[in-house]
Amino acid sequence: MARPDKAAAVAELTDQFRNSNAAMLTEYRGLTVAQLKTLRRSLGENAQYAVVKNTLTKIAANEAGITTLDDLFNGPTAVAFITGDPVESAKGLRDFAKDNPNLVIKGGVLDGKALSADEIKKLADLESREVLLAKLAGAFKGKQTQTAQLFKALPSKLVRTVDALRAKQDEQGGAE
């Protein structure tokens, strides 16, 4: 790799691997330029889809500390570098692949962990980060409401118990 243009390409790819939350590899054989353009749009704003050279990309991934993708660099390969929500991009890939069977999801990496094609499809089935956070907030709010009701119920239960004891004592006192 003595050529400066190849060294620059490897350096750029290495930076993209390091700066991405996730990277998803696909085979794009048989897709037209128009279809690739549509695919790029479907991945969302926080993803960059690039057709890459396998050898250079493999070197760049290894330099970035990612060795789990080595087996996936065969045939025509493109990489979606994702800096935002990986679920959104996984959904875009899955949906595009449903409509265009020529796109094959090979696998990827998410926060340093290797993902198979099936795991990427499972990731696509997740709800978005915002929806999951909203559900979590709702669960916390529900628990707070239950706790507040419990603390509110304790004094009133105590008062009812004391009143019941008084009434019982009055009955026993009046019976004597």
Side-chain angles (χ1 to χ4, degrees):
M1 192 180 71
R3 291 184 27 197
D5 58 334
K6 288 185 179 183
V10 168
E12 182 181 342
L13 288 169
T14 302
D15 287 343
Q16 286 182 313
F17 274 114
R18 286 185 179 144
N19 296 331
S20 300
N21 300 341
M24 297 179 193
L25 279 67
T26 64
E27 182 175 320
Y28 63 92
R29 186 183 324 217
L31 294 177
T32 65
V33 173
Q35 289 172 321
L36 287 173
K37 188 175 182 180
T38 303
L39 173 59
R40 285 184 174 97
R41 276 187 298 225
S42 70
L43 292 177
E45 296 176 4
N46 298 320
Q48 181 182 2
Y49 189 75
V51 174
V52 294
K53 290 190 178 282
N54 289 332
T55 307
L56 300 180
T57 309
K58 187 175 183 179
I59 293 168
N62 288 331
E63 285 183 10
I66 302 169
T67 57
T68 56
L69 301 177
D70 288 353
D71 297 338
L72 302 178
F73 292 114
N74 51 28
T77 304
V79 181
F81 294 103
I82 302 155
T83 55
D85 185 10
V87 173
E88 178 185 356
S89 298
K91 285 181 183 188
L93 279 175
R94 179 200 59 196
D95 295 344
F96 187 85
K98 282 181 186 176
D99 297 334
N100 300 283
N102 287 336
L103 180 75
V104 178
I105 300 171
K106 293 181 175 184
V109 65
L110 174 63
D111 293 329
K113 180 189 175 288
L115 297 175
S116 68
D118 289 335
E119 289 173 323
I120 290 174
K121 290 174 184 168
K122 287 179 186 174
L123 182 66
D125 292 336
L126 289 176
E127 293 171 328
S128 72
R129 182 177 187 271
E130 291 78 19
V131 170
L132 292 175
L133 288 174
K135 285 185 176 183
L136 182 64
F140 282 140
K141 184 176 180 184
K143 291 297 178 190
Q144 287 176 341
T145 303
Q146 288 176 342
T147 304
Q149 289 172 348
L150 174 69
F151 287 133
K152 183 179 174 186
L154 286 175
S156 63
K157 187 174 183 181
L158 177 65
V159 169
R160 286 193 303 271
T161 304
V162 170
D163 284 345
L165 285 173
R166 269 195 207 133
K168 188 174 184 179
Q169 284 178 348
D170 289 345
E171 284 176 15
Q172 289 176 352
E176 291 176 12

